[in-house]
């Protein structure tokens, strides 16, 4: 209840850690975990993640942020401060394949995913029963070439004000730049290949044709460049000449759900910083 | 001494295994290991690898091949038969980076690589002493933009008649189509990325810029398409935002040498069949 | 529908493959996949797995078996022949942890586990609703120190004649020798450690205390020796000093479900042969 | 040249990070990397590793240490401070198997192992030539059941005052408690199994007999308990029923050399803290 988290990005220069530590010390907060990374002590970017304990944090958070503002300004920090107990609110978008969705629902139910799943939105009705059995609202928003814009408008209405983070759990529609600008670095997609290999459609068929010996999956933040956003997590599994495209898909489903679930977990625990087109992940 | 190996590729149809087994049985040969793979029992390709024991094989091998010809013809087989005791003869080509070469020399010395390393050829003098200390001839063949053709001619003279297999152990020159046609599926290259990601030059810099979370290496047969030949083996290792390009190279060196050594081992043990642009690897 | 599978173990000697191939050829069956392994061509054991296609196999299977008997006898074969289309019938036993059960139910629902799950039996009521939502019968059989024998008797009644294979999906009761003798090499357990490390209870606490850098899980056939039966599959995941016992359990749950699901899949596809206390797995 | 490193272990309590940061800030040192881990903010142990830059550090290090003493005392710290540029001095002990030694020599030559290898000591003459070709002194100290004590005395004479860290690179003799007390947490051994599985002799034969599906290696600090000291690093590789004991040894050699090299690298970079029988490794 009294645990807070802080993320900081700023140009590196001497004194950052000391200033931040002094701030927490003066507030009688105890730093229980601190991670940092400097791209280059001479003029590179500096990234930091802090977990701290402070009595009565829920009530003091706003004051704390205000006080920190002065330090942040002097170091030109891009920063955020969170109450760890405040769960992030997720919307999961899904099409017809259910494995990534089910993994998230299941980890959520097991208590391994500390977040609120506010809703599931799909362009198909297929998974309504399963999702509702978890007590989660299910919205069916059909999408056709002609109704793409209306569908996105409907999505925005559904999630607006209720959701921090959007998970594309094998949602097979491209998100418009208009939509993206409302949720910068807050939309996580799972791509079913080891990016940047096999960008675009049918990656398992591409992998089969190229005869690769490992297949993979990639979770990334969505940007305007298709399959080109900052990579959060990747993993692979060994395959052989015996595995045809269907078998690659079957194996791939396991990697996809593991990789997406890890990425979402790190996101909701404020472990990811984005800089340009890359992520810094403190795990 | 009496161990033989056989590789077969042919269109699948009923009776192949029976015909091959019967042949070996009639010759009083004992099949000690047999692997097979059918792309599709209905009209796909069929691949087979057999290890067999036969008394006095060294003297009987030519006769055995002759007898097998009739079966091979009736099934339209592409096939080869080898005396396991006859070591393949390798030439290793290398430029300035020594890690892949050293791994091969070392595994060879440890008895893990069952082959004769006939020579090392380099466009630099750097590794002469090290190679010669293993008792292996070292040839320095400089290559410039102008002398590329003469250099390849020199290579052909050096290896012609003495070498079965050519290993490009971080040899940073492109092999000409003229050279390639002399050694189809007999030239193995190590590419320092998880192909098809990061084709071409400076793959670690490309990987760093893209922010991937795993880096890899790929051993493949060399064809006219740059970094596009049949993949033999790949592996990856986890990296993080902390790893800069130099660190990626350091980590990559480990993967490269492991992956190349595995591919060469499989090749010299007649474990690889090539079909179109893919490999069937029986391990 | 016409696909059959055969498993053979026997002392190695010349002529086995030829005899088996000849048999299938004479029956006009087409061998589509064949794997074999010889521990030692001179007097070791020989193991073989064959997939074959034969028209009208369902009706001809019994005749085929009868014919094969003569060959089997002359080679002292331990063997079995299966109609691939005939699904194995499973009973899953579970206590309070649901992750291994759910993974199996889910893969079954996705069509990745080709078997019939006939029933789930538990010594707790907790998972009834979830299991029944899959349309699978759920039996609650409480077990106390005093009722252990009656509980096992009840289990035998429930499964007798209905089930081929029993999966202990984190079932926290020891199976009696009496029960085991009814299902030799047909009971699969998942142990939550990388056996033989951390045999017995609380393996994650043991792993934490020892400070290991990888944790694992092991699927094995159950024998009278606790955690000592033939190992089918194992896998591990990296952990660090940061992971306390709860975190090890969380990470472990992922490995456990993956490892158990793989083992069950191989078992129902007749890919596993047991010899003494080890398995030969043809994948 | 101006890079320093610091390792701290102490009981956790509020204010540690602030005090340490303030100290470095007052000395005009810039913290470029900081890692920390708290076993439990309420009364557990706290571990910290800092990399810092300070002008003219070589000359100021002693003064810095003196100043830090007061802080260290008030927090009951166990601590050390190192000049990063000062290489650790290693002695490598080896018996007849050369792969772990060669990997270290090779990484050292490639510049990947930042340390001085002062000497190699062996109870066999076998590797003299190879070691001396790297310009490293080689001492032959035979060991028999009767001369064990004299041999250790000879070792101590050779290394005393010249060496910080002793690497047992497949040195097949047990180190006496007397010797150990001179080098607490400074002797690194590679054990050829995934400890605690297969403690003691012939671990690959044990692994083969148990039928495990993965084999591993473990690097650990040596303590009086055989194969029981704090684990630094472990890794595994998949094996199958096809791999006999010799094949397990061959595969194992790769894991052993990789695992030992990683552990040594972390040790010489001051990345390892030992607490009770476990390690905290900041990588």
């Amino acid at each position: 209840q009294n645990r807070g988290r802080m993320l900081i990005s700023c140009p590196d220069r001497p004194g950052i850690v000391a200033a931040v530590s002094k701030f927490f010390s003066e507030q009688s907060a105890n730093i229980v975990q601190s991670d940092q990374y400097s791209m280059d002590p001479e003029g590179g970017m500096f990234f930091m993640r802090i977990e701290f304990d402070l009595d009565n944090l829920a009530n003091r958070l706003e004051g704390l942020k205000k006080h920190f503002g002065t330090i942040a300004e002097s170091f030109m920090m891009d920063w955020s401060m969170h109450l760890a107990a405040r769960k992030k609110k997720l919307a999961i978008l899904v099409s017809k394949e259910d494995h990534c969705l089910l993994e998230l629902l299941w980890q959520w139910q097991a208590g391994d995913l500390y977040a609120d799943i506010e809703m599931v939105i799909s362009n198909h009705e297929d998974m309504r029963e399963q999702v509702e059995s978890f007590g989660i609202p299910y919205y069916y928003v059909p999408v056709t070439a002609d109704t793409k814009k209306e569908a996105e408008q409907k999505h925005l209405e559904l999630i607006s004000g209720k959701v921090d983070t959007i998970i594309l759990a094998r949602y097979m529609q491209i998100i418009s730049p208009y939509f993206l600008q409302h949720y910068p670095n807050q939309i996580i997609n799972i791509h079913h290949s080891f990016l940047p290999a096999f960008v675009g459609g049918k990656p398992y068929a591409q992998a089969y044709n190229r005869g690769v010996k490992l297949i993979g999956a990639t979770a990334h933040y969505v940007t305007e460049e298709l399959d080109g956003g900052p990579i959060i997590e990747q993993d692979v599994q060994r395959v052989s000449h015996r595995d045809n495209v269907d078998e690659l898909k079957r194996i791939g489903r396991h990697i996809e759900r593991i990789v997406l679930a890890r990425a979402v977990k790190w996101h909701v625990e404020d472990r990811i910083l984005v800089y340009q087109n890359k992520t810094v992940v403190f795990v």
Side-chain angles (χ1 to χ4, degrees), chain A:
Chain A
Q1 276 301 323
N2 291 322
R3 178 69 50 99
R5 291 197 288 245
M6 189 167 192
L7 292 177
I8 297 170
S9 311
C10 65
D12 199 3
R13 69 174 222 220
I16 302 172
V17 179
V20 173
S21 305
K22 185 157 164 275
F23 169 78
F24 281 107
S25 186
E26 284 171 0
Q27 305 289 333
S28 301
N30 188 28
I31 294 176
V32 292
Q33 174 65 32
S34 161
D35 291 285
Q36 53 174 273
Y37 163 62
S38 174
M39 291 177 68
D40 182 357
E42 313 284 335
M45 285 295 288
F46 174 89
F47 304 91
M48 193 172 199
R49 179 184 186 269
I50 286 171
E51 291 198 21
F52 60 94
D53 284 344
L54 180 60
D55 281 348
N56 197 20
L57 179 61
N59 291 321
R60 294 172 62 185
L61 187 64
E62 287 313 308
L64 211 60
K65 286 182 181 178
K66 215 163 155 182
H67 273 89
F68 191 77
T70 329
I71 296 171
E73 219 163 288
S74 69
F75 286 95
M76 292 184 291
M77 287 174 178
D78 193 6
W79 65 286
S80 61
M81 203 183 279
H82 308 272
L83 193 61
R86 191 211 163 260
K87 293 181 184 178
K88 291 228 185 326
K89 293 173 185 309
L90 313 183
I92 304 177
L93 271 67
V94 66
S95 289
K96 287 202 147 183
E97 296 218 62
D98 63 1
H99 54 284
C100 287
L101 170 64
L102 285 177
E103 180 77 25
L104 292 173
L105 292 178
W106 183 17
Q107 294 206 8
W108 171 76
Q109 195 176 46
D112 289 347
L113 178 60
Y114 192 77
D116 288 327
I117 301 179
E118 294 291 327
M119 64 189 72
V120 171
I121 303 173
S122 178
N123 54 336
H124 297 278
E125 275 286 14
D126 307 45
M127 278 170 265
R128 175 180 296 279
E129 196 180 354
Q130 199 142 18
V131 169
E132 290 180 347
S133 80
F134 283 85
I136 294 169
Y138 186 91
Y139 300 106
Y140 168 52
V141 182
V143 183
T144 66
D146 293 341
T147 63
K148 210 164 157 35
K149 208 168 163 184
E150 293 89 324
E152 278 212 340
Q153 198 51 50
K154 179 74 181 156
H155 291 164
L156 282 174
E157 283 163 27
L158 284 168
I159 64 184
S160 173
K162 293 195 197 135
V163 162
D164 313 303
T165 304
I166 297 163
I167 315 296
L168 308 183
R170 298 299 307 269
Y171 181 67
M172 309 309 280
Q173 302 285 333
I174 289 170
I175 307 298
S176 77
Y178 172 76
F179 192 102
L180 288 174
Q181 78 194 18
H182 288 71
Y183 294 92
N185 297 330
Q186 287 161 282
I187 307 179
I188 298 174
N189 182 48
I190 180 74
H191 183 77
H192 39 325
S193 88
F194 181 77
L195 288 175
F198 312 129
V199 166
K202 300 198 180 300
Y204 292 123
Q206 291 186 59
Y208 178 77
N209 291 332
R210 184 61 189 87
V212 292
K213 300 300 185 185
L214 300 166
I215 58 165
T218 304
H220 63 95
Y221 287 114
V222 181
T223 60
E224 291 197 30
E225 187 190 346
L226 181 66
D227 302 332
I231 293 172
I232 303 169
E233 172 62 343
Q234 304 187 287
D235 216 337
V236 294
Q237 192 167 322
R238 187 160 287 275
V239 297
S240 85
H241 58 266
R242 295 193 193 278
D243 300 307
N244 60 20
V245 177
D246 280 344
E247 194 64 12
L248 295 188
K249 284 181 184 169
R250 190 189 66 76
I251 296 168
R253 285 199 291 270
H254 288 276
I255 318 174
E256 291 166 31
R257 55 189 174 111
I258 297 298
V259 166
L260 179 60
R262 262 188 229 146
V264 173
K265 183 177 162 62
W266 294 340
H267 178 89
V268 302
E269 293 175 1
D270 298 312
R271 295 184 176 280
I272 311 174
L273 295 108
V274 175
Y275 177 67
Q276 292 177 348
N277 206 40
K278 298 207 260 184
T279 61
V280 169
V281 182
F282 288 122
V283 285

